[in-house]
């Protein structure tokens, strides 16, 4: 292996690196956060997908898992946190509340009807709350999405 | 036990008009006048019943009144008490007066957050409260959400609260129709009793 040469597309190299080192932000809003913690813990072990390093600051995170009910009071904070993350950055909306308001869809005077009102969402994971398997599925969908990104048409490069 | 407490309160706090209601569903309740709420609580805490813990302060919006409930507990006597006070809605000249009550923060520190919540949700103002801010809703929130006449805001801080494309309007309209058809009577019925 000493003097071997590896030939591959820059795209694939970048995507391979990105999709296998998604660092999520330590950020939970409600009961979905408990499932997210379970997913990160020993039994389901998000680290298998390179996604287990929960960062305590948005400035070192690539992935925001919006786990729980986004109240109107929290919505502005969620937006601020998203803006503090460096690109390329991705958002998983976890659970019915973050997807579309959940059980607060009609009478929730204080609930944002879906986190996509304030931040762009890449993957929606349904469930109330979703099982850890569902979150892992959502993560794998996101990884597939990242694997198909193209550097020249990449939204992160375009806006850099 | 409750009869003893009523007797004790009427003796120690003049004009508090403590009355026992045990004919309602649920646990027996002692009603007192709102003007004497601080003295009543002080006597319950420092008197022979030793209610040293305040568990909850909460409120209810009825048709003609607000009720503020205090749930007290005594660790030394192993007893609990539900204390309530009525704040009448004064509807003279089509203008409702805002409910006002004395704070009990100086007796129990726990009252601080509980009273703030009661203010946040029902708009009951506690006089002499050390920190009379909202606790759950944002500071720039308008209205008091647990009041029966509360109307949900359309836009808060640039965010649409109920975007039309995300609301099941057929379901919403059905409830609206039912309300117009039958009125609020079914809800009102339990209040009037």
């Amino acid at each position: 292996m000493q003097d071997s040469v590896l030939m591959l597309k820059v795209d694939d190299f970048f995507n391979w690196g990105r999709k296998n080192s998604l660092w999520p932000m330590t950020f939970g809003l409600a009961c979905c956060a408990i499932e997210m913690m379970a997913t990160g813990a020993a039994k389901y072990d998000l680290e298998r997908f390179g996604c287990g390093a929960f960062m305590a600051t948005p400035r070192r995170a690539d992935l925001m898992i919006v786990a729980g009910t986004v109240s109107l009071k929290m919505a502005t904070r969620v937006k601020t946190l998203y803006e503090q993350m460096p690109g390329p950055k991705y958002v998983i909306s976890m659970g019915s509340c973050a997807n579309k308001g959940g059980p607060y869809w009609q009478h929730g005077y204080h609930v944002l009807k879906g986190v996509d009102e304030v931040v762009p969402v890449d993957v929606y994971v349904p469930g109330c709350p979703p099982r850890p398997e569902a979150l892992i599925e959502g993560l794998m969908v996101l990884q597939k999405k990242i694997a198909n990104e193209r550097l020249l048409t990449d939204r992160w490069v375009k806006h850099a | 036990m409750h009869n003893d407490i009523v007797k004790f309160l009427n003796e120690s706090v003049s004009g508090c008009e403590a009355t026992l209601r045990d004919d309602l569903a649920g646990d027996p309740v002692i009603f007192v006048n709102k003007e004497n709420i601080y003295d009543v609580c002080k006597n319950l805490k420092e008197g022979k019943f030793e209610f040293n813990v305040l568990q909850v302060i909460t409120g209810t919006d009825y048709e003609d009144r607000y009720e503020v409930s205090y749930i007290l507990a005594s660790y030394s006597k192993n007893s609990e008490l539900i204390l309530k006070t009525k704040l009448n809605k004064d509807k003279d000249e089509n203008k409702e007066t805002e409910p006002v009550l004395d704070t009990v923060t100086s007796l129990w520190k726990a009252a601080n957050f509980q009273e703030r919540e009661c203010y946040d949700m029902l708009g009951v103002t506690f006089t002499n409260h050390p920190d009379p801010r909202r606790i759950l809703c944002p500071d720039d929130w308008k209205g008091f959400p647990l009041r029966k006449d509360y109307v949900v805001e359309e836009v808060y801080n640039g965010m649409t609260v109920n975007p039309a494309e995300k609301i099941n309007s057929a379901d919403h309209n059905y409830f609206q129709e039912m309300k117009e058809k039958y009125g609020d009577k079914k809800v009102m019925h339990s209040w009037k009793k």
Side-chain angles (χ1 to χ4, degrees):
Chain A
M1 287 294 286
Q2 224 172 359
D3 296 323
S4 59
V5 174
L6 196 62
M7 294 279 286
L8 79 170
K9 284 192 286 183
V10 178
D11 276 348
D12 290 346
F13 181 65
F14 269 47
N15 293 340
W16 169 77
R18 278 178 189 171
K19 82 182 173 77
N20 291 313
S21 65
L22 280 170
W23 288 0
M25 188 161 63
T26 312
F27 174 60
L29 296 177
C31 32
C32 281
I34 305 295
E35 295 295 307
M36 186 177 71
M37 289 175 227
T39 320
K43 191 166 178 182
Y44 293 96
D45 196 11
L46 268 182
E47 190 59 59
R48 289 182 294 159
F49 307 94
C51 185
F54 282 90
M55 287 292 122
T57 160
R59 294 175 205 286
R60 284 207 297 271
D62 313 299
L63 171 66
M64 181 159 79
I65 303 176
V66 185
T69 315
V70 188
S71 64
L72 292 171
K73 192 178 182 180
M74 193 64 199
T76 46
R77 277 85 164 166
V78 171
K79 200 175 178 194
T80 309
L81 286 171
Y82 178 76
E83 282 163 359
Q84 284 173 342
M85 287 161 64
K89 52 190 171 181
Y90 305 95
V91 178
I92 291 181
S93 163
M94 181 186 180
S96 296
C97 292
N99 288 348
K100 227 178 170 182
Y104 312 97
W105 63 274
Q106 191 176 3
H107 301 292
Y109 62 92
H110 66 299
V111 174
L112 189 73
K113 306 297 182 296
V115 74
D116 50 4
E117 301 268 319
V118 286
V119 294
V121 175
D122 292 286
V123 176
Y124 298 87
V125 180
C128 185
R131 295 262 319 160
E133 293 94 328
L135 181 59
I136 290 173
E137 173 75 23
L139 181 75
M140 289 164 77
V141 169
L142 179 63
Q143 286 182 330
K144 273 178 202 158
K145 190 176 174 177
I146 296 169
N148 288 323
E149 279 185 351
R150 288 292 165 258
L151 192 61
L152 292 177
T153 55
D154 194 333
R155 58 178 157 146
W156 309 117
V157 176
K158 260 201 242 170
H159 298 294
Chain B
M1 187 196 86
H2 284 85
N3 283 318
D4 296 340
I5 296 175
V6 169
K7 208 176 146 198
F8 165 76
L9 284 178
N10 281 326
E11 280 168 8
S12 49
V13 185
S14 61
C16 76
E17 290 175 24
T19 45
L20 175 66
R21 288 290 299 275
D22 51 6
D23 52 335
L24 305 169
D27 295 327
V29 172
I30 292 178
F31 280 96
V32 293
N33 271 352
K34 60 174 178 178
E35 288 83 8
N36 305 92
I37 190 71
Y38 177 80
D39 292 330
V40 165
C41 287
K42 194 177 166 70
N43 276 286
L44 283 174
K45 190 193 174 195
E46 291 163 7
K48 61 179 175 177
F49 290 100
E50 295 176 22
F51 284 103
N52 60 328
V53 174
L54 173 78
Q55 292 184 331
V56 174
I57 297 177
T58 183
T60 322
D61 182 5
Y62 290 96
E63 198 178 9
D64 58 335
R65 64 188 189 280
Y66 295 101
E67 270 180 17
V68 177
S69 318
Y70 298 74
I71 301 182
L72 311 176
S74 166
Y75 281 11
S76 50
K77 307 277 182 191
N78 189 20
S79 57
E80 274 189 340
L81 172 69
I82 304 174
L83 187 72
K84 286 192 182 181
T85 181
K86 287 178 185 172
L87 307 168
N88 286 327
K89 292 181 187 173
D90 215 356
K91 284 197 172 164
D92 290 341
E93 299 156 18
N94 296 324
K95 198 180 154 191
E96 280 190 26
T97 48
E98 293 298 307
V100 179
L101 205 58
D102 268 341
T103 181
V104 292
T105 322
S106 51
L107 298 172
W108 299 286
K109 286 266 163 52
N112 188 328
F113 277 21
Q114 298 286 340
E115 286 177 354
R116 276 176 67 187
E117 191 188 353
C118 195
Y119 167 71
D120 195 1
M121 291 291 143
L122 280 168
V124 180
T125 312
F126 290 88
T127 48
N128 301 324
H129 192 281
D131 188 19
R133 288 180 295 143
R134 285 180 179 274
I135 189 168
L136 297 170
C137 292
D139 288 335
D140 56 349
W141 194 261
K142 288 191 191 74
F144 303 105
L146 284 194
R147 285 189 180 180
K148 298 286 181 198
D149 56 359
Y150 177 75
V151 182
V152 179
E153 280 181 285
E154 305 221 325
V155 177
Y156 171 74
N157 226 342
M159 293 172 282
T160 315
V161 178
N162 284 315
E165 75 277 9
K166 289 192 176 178
I167 296 298
N168 184 350
S169 52
D171 207 7
H172 192 80
N173 294 341
Y174 174 76
F175 280 110
Q176 206 65 35
E177 269 174 38
M178 295 297 274
K179 225 175 183 181
E180 281 164 18
K181 204 170 171 186
Y182 298 106
D184 280 339
K185 273 178 192 167
K186 280 198 172 170
V187 190
M188 295 290 196
H189 184 68
S190 57
W191 292 355
K192 276 177 183 160
K193 230 176 172 182

